[in-house]
Amino acid sequence: MVRGWEPRKTLTFSVYWFCWGDFMARLLGMTALAVLMGAGGAHAEDAPTKLGPIVVTATRSERPVSSTPGGVVIIEREDIVRQLQLSKDPADMLQRYVPGFSASNQSVSGAGETFRGRSLQVLVDGVSRNTPLRDVSRLISLIDLNQVERIEVVNGASGIYGNGATGGVINFITKRGEGGGTQTNVAVGFRAFTADIGSSLAPELSVNTSGMVGAVDYFVSATGEQTRDTFDGQGRRLPDDPLLGQGAFSDSDKLNLNGTVGYSFGDERVELSGEFIRFEQEPEFYTLPTTPVSVNFAQPYTGRPVEDESYYFQARYLNRKFALGHLDVQAFYSDTEKRFADALLSVENPLVYYSGNPLSPQSSDGQTSLTAEQIGLKVAVDSDLKDVVPGLSLTWGADVSRDETEQHFQDGVAAIAPMSQDSYAVFLQADQRLTDWLLVRGGVRYERFELDISDFTRPSYSFRGLAVVAPTQVRGGDFSYSEAVFNLGAVAFLTDEVELYGGFSQGFSIPDVGAFTRRAGANTFPAVPAAIDFSSLGIEASVVDNYELGLRGEWMNVRGNVSGFVSTSDLGTNFDVTLNRVQQQKERVYGVEFTGEWDATDELTLGALARWTEGKRDTNGDGSLDAYLPNNRIAPPVRLTGYADWKVTDALSTNVEAVYLGERDEHDGTTRVKIASAFLVNLGADYAIDASNSVTLGVRNVFDRDYLNPAASANRNFQVSGFGRQVSLRFATRF
């Protein structure tokens, strides 16, 4: 992985894992090989490959990490393969490698997961996966790591990709076909919790094929996964929906299909790609809101399954000899439908869709389904102007897109106002090498949104089963927002090994418009107005100013990066779980991040990641930051990770990591709920049986610690247990 420096060789470590791991790896690997494939073929699946330190997401052009005036993390394919030892969830990988990422909530939903205390823009091959008009968070965990070549992370606010990146940008770069003939990779794995292997044993199968036929390259991938029961460190079965309505991984099936075909001719390339995601969870029981939440075995689940069905298509044209520079044109289309879980009326879930029957106030149609459709075009040109002005290059272009979003209860009644949005943007980014030791980068993006809100009747809700919140008419209309955001930074090359970087950058986001309309009038109970104009809800675009200063470098066998940041906003967006409403308030988030590695020997590397993040807000509008940000924005503030990787032999690589997730116990202006700390240890081993076949073994939460997942617990301020000990075995072959 690249944490702001050049890529390095694969890292490995273990203390007592050597003898036992070697024996188990040989035994399990040979058994799997005999059963699955027999004697092998060409190369082991995903042999580590060194890649140049190129970042695309920073400026929508290819730039070295060393020239980026901000924190950057690149996760290479070899790190992704290593992560698959422990987990198939990309959120777990981000927790391990990216200091700015809060913590994985171990659920299909990203609720409670933040980036530097703010929102995160998720891209796949440069195209956003976010649903800007209704933020439902179900993004990262549905991405298949088996099809990802590398992950690029840019820390801090950024407007270069448009709405949403107030905390950072994560771009998942998928694989492409290469020359050398057709290659097929097959990986099969099993995961289980040691508390109950029989009921938790879950299989995974992934197959991908790539190659070239003349000038045409192709990559096709299919992955099927099943997850069964999950358990905490006390051996207790975890609820099928610990986040009350968001869904989870337990008792679920997931299918990812991905394909890309490209045609290269000279300096030009045409590329078509598509992806289909199908996720279905069939919960067995409802969740009991105990402390921590538990399975309500007395009440079998009667709702509809949790589902996600998404289609993504992209066409791309590249021309490196375009008259004005390097041209990149992307057209994209997506269509997604997400159904959420049924959650029972409780103190933690006090507002439910009213059935019309006061004796049984919760409607059986209370689950909602979101449909979101997006189409757009992105054009970027990278112009080298060194012949005009020495050291100058410009990246410029335009984006247009249209979003349409609806959310309905199962009986077809609208849960939010149906809405559509057209956005138009232009941007310009300049890189100027002033001297041999100083580079300056600055830019601007202007974007205009045209938002159409349909008239809508917010339906009746039952409040705590004791009273009825009457319907409210929400009058829509046509609205427009426009924002211009800027960035200016510099990199000083102090020596050949050390860079000092810093700068100012802005990002912006339109608040969760759908959430405002869903709760319109429901927060003024019992004096609910008969009608509300959408314009009276006071929704405004939020602009975040980010300031960052850092130092990175590589000295022989030591690499490191340390940075500090402050981000401010006059209209930050929070969901107050106590008051059940979305608020926009003045706020400030600040923190320090550190990564470091030391190659102690040619075979042994030691490393550490550390972060501290905190934030405050103005709850009464007097201009003073009088309270801390809610836990669902800052959780946990402290995270420390130490790891050691050891290449034991040419065939065996092992690793161990220890993770500390800090506690938080601050008053957010409404309530004070403590998020407890946790300490976990994970182990992994990778054994190359031969040049064609390998087997990996992973143990997650080695000591089976009972702890509270900080991100999941922060989502609604009630306790959710984290995963107990989980063992995974994965065999991979290539032919």
Side-chain angles (χ1 to χ4, degrees):
M1 187 190 71
V2 181
R3 302 179 181 88
W5 50 73
E6 299 285 335
R8 56 170 174 79
K9 62 183 181 181
T10 304
L11 306 177
T12 51
F13 173 77
S14 174
V15 178
Y16 61 85
W17 191 255
F18 172 37
C19 295
W20 184 78
D22 192 7
F23 170 75
M24 289 299 294
R26 289 177 185 272
L27 176 62
L28 294 171
M30 292 299 186
T31 301
L33 178 60
V35 172
L36 293 171
M37 299 299 298
H43 300 284
E45 193 262 341
D46 292 313
T49 302
K50 271 197 172 185
L51 300 175
I54 300 298
V55 172
V56 177
T57 57
T59 60
R60 293 179 61 168
S61 57
E62 295 183 354
R63 294 290 186 271
V65 170
S66 60
S67 69
T68 304
V72 175
V73 178
I74 299 180
I75 304 173
E76 300 286 11
R77 180 61 195 171
E78 61 192 81
D79 301 295
I80 296 172
V81 172
R82 186 184 301 115
Q83 173 64 22
L84 287 169
Q85 297 172 356
L86 301 173
S87 170
K88 59 184 181 292
D89 185 357
D92 293 330
M93 168 168 283
L94 297 178
Q95 176 180 297
R96 176 176 184 178
Y97 291 122
V98 183
F101 186 74
S102 58
S104 167
N105 69 21
Q106 300 175 341
S107 164
V108 67
S109 168
E113 297 173 355
T114 61
F115 200 105
R116 287 187 170 181
R118 298 191 181 276
S119 63
L120 172 67
Q121 191 172 43
V122 179
L123 311 173
V124 175
D125 294 326
V127 175
S128 176
R129 288 286 172 94
N130 297 64
T131 51
L133 297 177
R134 184 70 176 100
D135 183 11
V136 296
S137 304
R138 199 185 289 175
L139 299 172
I140 294 175
S141 294
L142 291 178
I143 295 173
D144 177 21
L145 287 176
N146 293 286
Q147 70 186 31
V148 177
E149 180 63 36
R150 70 184 188 276
I151 304 170
E152 302 172 344
V153 183
V154 178
N155 298 321
S158 172
I160 199 67
Y161 276 98
N163 178 24
T166 58
V169 177
I170 296 182
N171 191 12
F172 291 83
I173 308 296
T174 60
K175 295 181 178 180
R176 297 294 183 268
E178 298 178 351
T182 298
Q183 294 181 334
T184 299
N185 300 307
V186 179
V188 61
F190 296 90
R191 304 179 192 277
F193 289 84
T194 57
D196 189 336
I197 294 177
S199 64
S200 66
L201 187 64
E204 172 194 351
L205 175 64
S206 179
V207 180
N208 66 66
T209 299
S210 63
M212 292 189 69
V213 179
V216 177
D217 58 85
Y218 60 90
F219 173 81
V220 180
S221 173
T223 298
E225 305 170 7
Q226 183 183 69
T227 302
R228 300 177 68 201
D229 295 344
T230 58
F231 296 85
D232 67 11
Q234 290 290 330
R236 299 168 298 199
R237 180 175 164 180
L238 291 170
D240 294 327
D241 178 26
L243 302 185
L244 296 186
Q246 300 295 325
F249 281 124
S250 58
D251 299 310
S252 68
D253 299 292
K254 183 161 79 82
L255 174 66
N256 291 72
L257 302 176
N258 173 272
T260 299
V261 59
Y263 174 62
S264 299
F265 48 105
D267 294 306
E268 299 173 80
R269 176 176 172 82
V270 177
E271 189 175 276
L272 300 174
S273 62
E275 182 176 8
F276 169 71
I277 299 174
R278 170 70 179 174
F279 172 85
E280 182 177 75
Q281 182 196 17
E282 295 189 1
E284 291 187 76
F285 301 97
Y286 283 100
T287 298
L288 197 62
T290 52
T291 303
V293 295
S294 58
V295 180
N296 190 349
F297 291 105
Q299 196 151 19
Y301 184 83
T302 58
R304 295 170 175 83
V306 178
E307 292 183 349
D308 196 297
E309 188 168 294
S310 300
Y311 300 84
Y312 302 95
F313 301 98
Q314 183 182 152
R316 191 170 193 173
Y317 170 71
L318 300 169
N319 187 342
R320 292 186 176 273
K321 295 297 184 179
F322 179 61
L324 300 177
H326 180 190
L327 174 66
D328 185 351
V329 181
Q330 290 178 284
F332 59 90
Y333 171 79
S334 65
D335 186 4
T336 184
E337 181 173 358
K338 303 173 184 289
R339 180 193 291 157
F340 302 93
D342 188 33
L344 295 180
L345 177 68
S346 66
V347 174
E348 289 76 16
N349 189 42
L351 208 63
V352 297
Y353 186 39
Y354 184 48
S355 66
N357 180 3
L359 299 179
S360 180
Q362 182 167 1
S363 172
S364 59
D365 292 313
Q367 288 175 263
T368 65
S369 294
L370 177 88
T371 57
E373 193 172 7
Q374 185 178 67
I375 188 169
L377 181 70
K378 306 163 74 72
V379 180
V381 181
D382 190 13
S383 302
D384 188 347
L385 301 180
K386 63 182 179 182
D387 293 335
V388 179
V389 178
L392 176 64
S393 61
L394 297 179
T395 302
W396 52 280
D399 301 332
V400 295
S401 65
R402 178 176 178 82
D403 294 273
E404 295 182 355
T405 300
E406 296 184 4
Q407 188 171 2
H408 294 89
F409 293 103
Q410 297 308 295
D411 57 5
V413 173
I416 67 173
M419 61 192 73
S420 63
Q421 178 174 276
D422 297 310
S423 66
Y424 312 90
V426 292
F427 65 90
L428 173 68
Q429 190 82 9
D431 283 42
Q432 176 66 63
R433 191 74 180 238
L434 296 178
T435 68
D436 289 341
W437 61 271
L438 182 62
L439 181 146
V440 176
R441 174 177 295 167
V444 59
R445 179 186 176 95
Y446 174 80
E447 188 150 9
R448 181 175 177 82
F449 301 92
E450 301 290 347
L451 179 63
D452 178 27
I453 304 291
S454 299
D455 292 343
F456 154 76
T457 300
R458 194 266 299 143
S460 298
Y461 291 106
S462 173
F463 180 71
R464 301 192 185 279
L466 302 174
V468 176
V469 180
T472 295
Q473 300 293 321
V474 179
R475 289 188 289 262
D478 296 328
F479 305 88
S480 63
Y481 303 85
S482 60
E483 290 298 337
V485 291
F486 302 86
N487 66 83
L488 180 63
V491 179
F493 303 92
L494 303 182
T495 68
D496 291 341
E497 298 84 13
V498 182
E499 301 145 17
L500 176 68
Y501 62 87
F504 165 78
S505 62
Q506 291 181 309
F508 69 96
S509 64
I510 303 298
D512 191 340
V513 177
F516 276 88
T517 64
R518 183 171 186 179
R519 296 175 176 85
N523 301 306
T524 59
F525 174 80
V528 179
I532 294 177
D533 283 325
F534 178 81
S535 58
S536 70
L537 297 178
I539 300 174
E540 297 184 50
S542 174
V543 177
V544 173
D545 296 332
N546 184 83
Y547 307 86
E548 183 169 6
L549 181 66
L551 186 71
R552 60 181 170 233
E554 180 172 1
W555 308 266
M556 299 179 64
N557 58 351
V558 176
R559 296 165 294 278
N561 181 84
V562 60
S563 64
F565 70 90
V566 176
S567 68
T568 64
S569 176
D570 291 333
L571 291 171
T573 304
N574 296 290
F575 173 60
D576 193 313
V577 297
T578 303
L579 301 177
N580 189 43
R581 67 184 182 189
V582 182
Q583 301 171 309
Q584 289 193 280
Q585 301 165 328
K586 180 180 179 180
E587 61 186 34
R588 180 186 298 125
V589 183
Y590 39 90
V592 178
E593 298 171 357
F594 168 80
T595 59
E597 284 186 334
W598 171 43
D599 293 329
T601 68
D602 290 342
E603 295 78 25
L604 175 64
T605 295
L606 307 177
L609 284 81
R611 67 157 246 171
W612 173 78
T613 304
E614 193 50 271
K616 303 191 75 173
R617 61 175 175 168
D618 174 13
T619 60
N620 55 20
D622 66 355
S624 174
L625 302 177
D626 58 282
Y628 286 88
L629 286 172
N631 285 330
N632 56 20
R633 291 282 303 279
I634 307 289
V638 174
R639 186 171 85 247
L640 306 173
T641 300
Y643 59 90
D645 297 349
W646 185 18
K647 190 173 181 61
V648 182
T649 68
D650 289 340
L652 178 64
S653 300
T654 60
N655 61 83
V656 60
E657 68 172 6
V659 182
Y660 172 76
L661 302 170
E663 71 173 32
R664 191 167 192 252
D665 188 12
E666 305 290 356
H667 197 281
D668 65 9
T670 303
T671 187
R672 183 178 191 138
V673 178
K674 181 177 180 178
I675 300 295
S677 62
F679 179 76
L680 306 171
V681 175
N682 304 313
L683 292 172
D686 187 338
Y687 182 76
I689 300 169
D690 54 33
S692 307
N693 308 283
S694 65
V695 64
T696 63
L697 189 66
V699 184
R700 187 176 178 180
N701 192 358
V702 172
F703 299 110
D704 209 12
R705 295 288 300 271
D706 183 34
Y707 71 101
L708 297 178
N709 181 292
S713 299
N715 184 49
R716 291 179 183 258
N717 277 336
F718 58 79
Q719 296 181 358
V720 178
S721 294
F723 285 173
R725 185 191 298 119
Q726 187 181 32
V727 178
S728 60
L729 174 67
R730 196 169 192 263
F731 168 76
T733 187
R734 172 178 291 181
F735 55 90

